[in-house]
Amino acid sequence: MSAPLRHPNTVVLQPPTVTVSPLIRFGRYAALSLGVVYGFFRLRQIREYHADIREWEHEKAVAAAQEAAKQKKWLAKDEMRYLMQVVNLPFDEGVKQFGVADLYKED
């Protein structure tokens, strides 16, 4: 396709070019570079802060998992004792028959 048709007397006026002072140009680039440097250091600070938070949350999750494992073991012990009472087995014999000697080992 061809360019749109214009009237032969059409004059396109361009706005005059504006020259920017070298001092203003220097100020703009200085502000830009200072912003980049500040952003770099601030990002490093934020990363360290969030790394500390992630470490703390991990320690908390590990502690919760250990507590849940302990609770699960206690519940299993109680359940085995109840089963031994229902079946009317002495404790030592019940531990041997059910094969739960490792459950009653002290940690």
Side-chain angles (χ1 to χ4, degrees):
M1 297 182 98
S2 63
L5 297 176
R6 291 189 180 163
H7 192 273
N9 294 336
T10 304
V11 177
V12 179
L13 297 175
Q14 295 289 333
T17 58
V18 178
T19 56
V20 179
S21 165
L23 183 63
I24 293 174
R25 237 185 282 147
F26 172 76
R28 287 179 181 171
Y29 283 108
L32 176 66
S33 59
L34 285 175
V36 169
V37 170
Y38 171 75
F40 173 74
F41 284 113
R42 182 71 178 135
L43 181 64
R44 236 177 48 186
Q45 286 177 340
I46 291 172
R47 281 182 181 168
E48 290 172 2
Y49 174 73
H50 283 281
D52 291 342
I53 290 174
R54 282 192 303 272
E55 182 181 339
W56 176 75
E57 287 177 347
H58 175 69
E59 290 171 359
K60 197 166 80 169
V62 167
Q66 288 175 345
E67 186 63 33
K70 228 186 257 188
Q71 186 72 17
K72 183 178 176 183
K73 186 175 179 178
W74 288 341
L75 290 174
K77 280 183 179 182
D78 291 343
E79 184 180 8
M80 281 297 131
R81 284 183 196 261
Y82 175 74
L83 285 175
M84 287 179 221
Q85 286 176 353
V86 169
V87 181
N88 200 17
L89 283 174
F91 179 75
D92 294 333
E93 187 178 328
V95 168
K96 289 177 187 172
Q97 282 189 357
F98 287 127
V100 289
D102 61 327
L103 192 62
Y104 290 98
K105 284 192 281 184
E106 293 300 320
D107 293 335

